[in-house]
Amino acid sequence: MARHTALTLRFVQLFVGLFLYGAATALQVRAVVGVSSWTVLTQGLENVLPWSFGVITVVSSGVILLLWIPLRQKPGIGTLLNALAIGPSADLVLWLVPEPSGLPARIALFVAGLVLLAVATAFYIGAGFGTGARDGLMVGLHQRLGWPIWLARTLVEVTVVAVGWALGGDVGAGTVIAAFAIGPMAQPLMPWFRRFPWSPERTAAAPAPSVAAPALEARPTPDTPAP
């Protein structure tokens, strides 16, 4: 596969994954049974700022990227698109999907959002352009301060949940479920979304073009993760 074709398809995969990520976040918000940690903070900020959920998501991502500077993390194109794309897609789905009535419907919507979030995470990471601002913050704390990843993640997420809850964010059973379920759900899906003909692993493994023939294939260089 030609390099420009592979790169184009990787960008398509990235954008689809980011759109689905925002949509999954919106479904969890509409379920009103508790949302993931960073979404709790976004909801809390929504109570004190005159901005939409999506705008706050974009702005908070920018603030988090500023914290990368002392941690010496470098964002890739996937990191920047992550910061810009998820908020608008969440706003769109929040506008399209009403809050369901009745606990069974809310639970079903939450489960749908959780499954979609796992798929979206594996989908956009599989494009090979790096992960998002929030995960990069945890990686930076690990590399710069020597904290274990689990400790950095736990401290950051407990902090954002506490601040978001104090500001009126939706903390509930869904918050706990999302915290423990999303990793085990997304991890097995990762290899599936790295097996496309345009995936970095597949194109990198392709034989080099003959010197005598036109260069039809070349190895795309994925951006290093910044999540």
Side-chain angles (χ1 to χ4, degrees):
M1 180 178 291
R3 175 184 175 129
H4 71 275
T5 302
L7 191 60
T8 298
L9 291 173
R10 286 173 59 203
F11 270 113
V12 171
Q13 180 179 344
L14 173 66
F15 280 114
V16 171
L18 294 177
F19 176 82
L20 294 178
Y21 196 104
T25 301
L27 293 182
Q28 290 188 355
V29 171
R30 283 289 181 252
V32 199
V33 292
V35 294
S36 59
S37 57
W38 285 98
T39 307
V40 174
L41 179 60
T42 303
Q43 284 186 315
L45 292 172
E46 199 175 9
N47 292 328
V48 297
L49 296 173
W51 300 336
S52 71
F53 183 94
V55 171
I56 293 173
T57 300
V58 172
V59 173
S60 62
S61 295
V63 172
I64 293 167
L65 286 176
L66 292 177
L67 297 177
W68 283 27
I69 297 174
L71 297 176
R72 298 181 182 174
Q73 295 294 295
K74 295 181 179 180
I77 185 65
T79 308
L80 300 176
L81 292 176
N82 182 303
L84 295 173
I86 290 177
S89 68
D91 266 351
L92 175 63
V93 176
L94 284 169
W95 177 68
L96 291 172
V97 178
E99 183 179 317
S101 59
L103 184 59
R106 299 209 316 267
I107 292 174
L109 191 62
F110 173 81
V111 172
L114 190 64
V115 172
L116 185 60
L117 188 64
V119 172
T121 299
F123 202 81
Y124 94 80
I125 291 177
F129 288 110
T131 46
R134 290 153 181 81
D135 288 334
L137 177 61
M138 299 166 198
V139 171
L141 290 171
H142 163 67
Q143 293 178 345
R144 186 73 172 147
L145 302 180
W147 295 355
I149 286 288
W150 69 266
L151 177 60
R153 188 179 191 96
T154 299
L155 290 176
V156 169
E157 296 204 354
V158 167
T159 300
V160 298
V161 167
V163 173
W165 177 73
L167 295 175
D170 181 20
V171 177
T175 307
V176 178
I177 293 171
F180 286 98
I182 189 62
M185 289 175 66
Q187 187 65 39
L189 297 174
M190 296 289 186
W192 291 96
F193 294 104
R194 290 172 173 161
R195 293 177 182 174
F196 297 120
W198 58 83
S199 296
E201 290 84 352
R202 297 289 297 274
T203 53
S210 170
V211 174
L216 297 178
E217 294 182 299
R219 176 179 177 177
T221 305
D223 296 305
T224 54

